């Protein structure tokens, strides 16, 4: 516990009671101890006060990072970058640099080219009332054969897929198909120009950074790519996080 003595009294006016500011310095080793989970719990106890209640606002915790580790992968690093990825598949990439232990959560950015990115729409054959649609070719014969031929051959598989919110999203996992972290490119990018690719980011919790990467001092991820018939290319990846090593 720490004792904070008020430092400054802010002038009163006709509508407010007395307000004071106070601060206390917390040693870095104590901060590391109590904030190791990524959350800093704080409890305030009033002592030697004539008031039975008090309002603490605002409360700020300010600290500087000892160091920040940033690593980048591009098409020049080969691996999965710049090449069309088979759908569906697992695409693994690894940052080759030494990765010191993390002191906080990380952010992973990925730039990807996703052709015709759009939210998944279920197969539309058959009207809502269940009656089949009837099509005819230019010559008047039934269009059913042409319709079946033109249907997406993976439609049934796509409808059954429950692992993705839609077929433009990528699942991010730690290491070699390890802990599921989050989805990337979950939003609808259909209204944006796809020629230069899209950029998205995910937060990597401190527990994952410590549990999955600290021992080997290497950071790797696996992208689970959904089925589909359009092209997906991973163009680059960047990760940044605070570390206790300079």
């Amino acid at each position: 516990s720490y004792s904070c003595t008020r430092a400054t009294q802010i002038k009163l006016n006709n509508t407010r009671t007395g307000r004071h500011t106070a601060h206390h310095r917390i040693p870095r080793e104590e901060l590391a101890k109590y904030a190791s989970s990524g959350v800093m719990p704080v409890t305030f106890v009033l002592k030697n006060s004539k008031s039975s209640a008090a309002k603490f606002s605002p409360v700020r915790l300010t600290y500087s990072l000892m160091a920040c580790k940033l690593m980048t992968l591009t098409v020049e690093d080969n691996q999965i970058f710049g090449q069309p990825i088979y759908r569906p598949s697992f695409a693994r990439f690894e940052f080759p640099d030494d990765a010191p232990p993390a002191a906080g959560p990380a952010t992973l950015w990925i730039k990807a080219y996703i052709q015709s990115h759009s939210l998944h729409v279920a197969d539309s054959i058959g009207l809502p009332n269940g009656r089949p649609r009837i099509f005819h070719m230019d010559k008047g014969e039934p269009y059913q054969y042409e319709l079946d031929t033109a249907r997406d051959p993976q439609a049934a598989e796509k409808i059954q897929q429950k692992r993705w919110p839609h077929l433009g999203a990528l699942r991010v996992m730690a290491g070699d198909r390890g802990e599921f972290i989050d989805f990337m490119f979950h939003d609808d990018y259909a209204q944006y120009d796809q020629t230069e690719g899209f950029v998205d980011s995910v937060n990597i919790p401190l527990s994952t950074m410590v549990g999955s990467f600290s021992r080997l001092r290497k950071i790797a991820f696996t992208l689970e790519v959904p089925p589909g018939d359009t092209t997906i290319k991973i163009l680059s990846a960047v990760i940044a996080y605070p570390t206790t090593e300079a």
Side-chain angles (χ1 to χ4, degrees):
S1 63
Y2 305 98
S3 297
C4 293
T5 303
R6 72 187 193 190
T8 305
Q9 178 172 334
I10 302 175
K11 292 183 178 180
L12 297 175
N13 58 30
N14 294 330
T15 60
R16 296 178 182 269
T17 57
R19 292 179 293 165
H20 307 275
T21 63
H23 70 276
H24 190 89
R25 298 186 63 183
I26 302 176
R28 182 173 287 275
E29 56 271 18
E30 294 293 318
L31 182 63
K33 176 182 177 181
Y34 293 108
S36 59
S37 65
V39 178
M40 180 64 177
V42 178
T43 302
F44 295 96
V45 179
L46 286 175
K47 293 184 178 180
N48 302 323
S49 174
K50 297 180 181 179
S51 175
S52 60
K55 177 181 178 181
F56 296 91
S57 177
V59 177
R60 295 188 178 95
L61 176 64
T62 304
Y63 61 93
S64 59
L65 302 176
M66 294 189 68
C68 180
K69 182 67 175 181
L70 186 146
M71 295 181 285
T72 302
L73 291 171
T74 66
V75 294
E76 298 179 355
D77 297 290
N78 297 317
Q79 299 192 43
I80 67 170
F81 299 95
Q83 301 296 324
I85 297 178
Y86 180 77
R87 305 181 64 174
S89 67
F90 294 91
R92 182 183 183 277
F93 62 93
E94 178 177 309
F95 293 91
D97 296 344
D98 176 65
T107 301
L108 173 68
W109 293 268
I110 287 182
K111 181 178 182 181
Y113 169 77
I114 304 178
Q115 183 183 24
S116 303
H117 184 285
S118 62
L119 301 180
H120 172 54
V121 178
D123 187 81
S124 60
I125 290 185
L127 297 175
N129 60 13
R131 293 180 298 176
R133 294 180 298 174
I134 299 176
F135 292 89
H136 294 83
M137 298 179 65
D138 293 339
K139 296 180 180 180
E141 63 267 39
Y143 190 49
Q144 187 63 40
Y145 174 77
E146 295 295 333
L147 180 63
D148 290 339
T149 302
R151 286 181 60 184
D152 183 353
Q154 294 181 324
E157 179 182 6
K158 291 179 180 180
I159 294 173
Q160 294 173 1
Q161 293 294 343
K162 304 299 182 183
R163 299 174 61 83
W164 293 273
H166 61 81
L167 295 177
L170 307 179
R171 288 171 56 90
V172 182
M173 295 171 285
D176 188 4
R177 307 188 194 183
E179 175 189 354
F180 168 68
I181 297 172
D182 204 347
F183 288 100
M184 300 192 78
F185 306 101
H186 181 276
D187 296 332
D188 186 3
Y189 294 85
Q191 67 273 32
Y192 298 105
D193 181 10
Q194 66 181 18
T195 56
E196 298 298 325
F198 310 119
V199 177
D200 198 6
S201 65
V202 293
N203 180 71
I204 313 298
L206 176 59
S207 58
T208 302
M209 295 297 296
V210 173
S212 300
F213 308 130
S214 291
R215 185 174 63 86
L216 298 178
R217 298 175 69 99
K218 291 293 182 182
I219 295 179
F221 296 96
T222 299
L223 302 178
E224 187 174 2
V225 183
D229 50 14
T230 58
T231 301
I232 291 181
K233 296 180 183 179
I234 307 301
L235 304 178
S236 64
V238 177
I239 190 169
Y241 63 92
T243 175
T244 57
E245 296 184 8

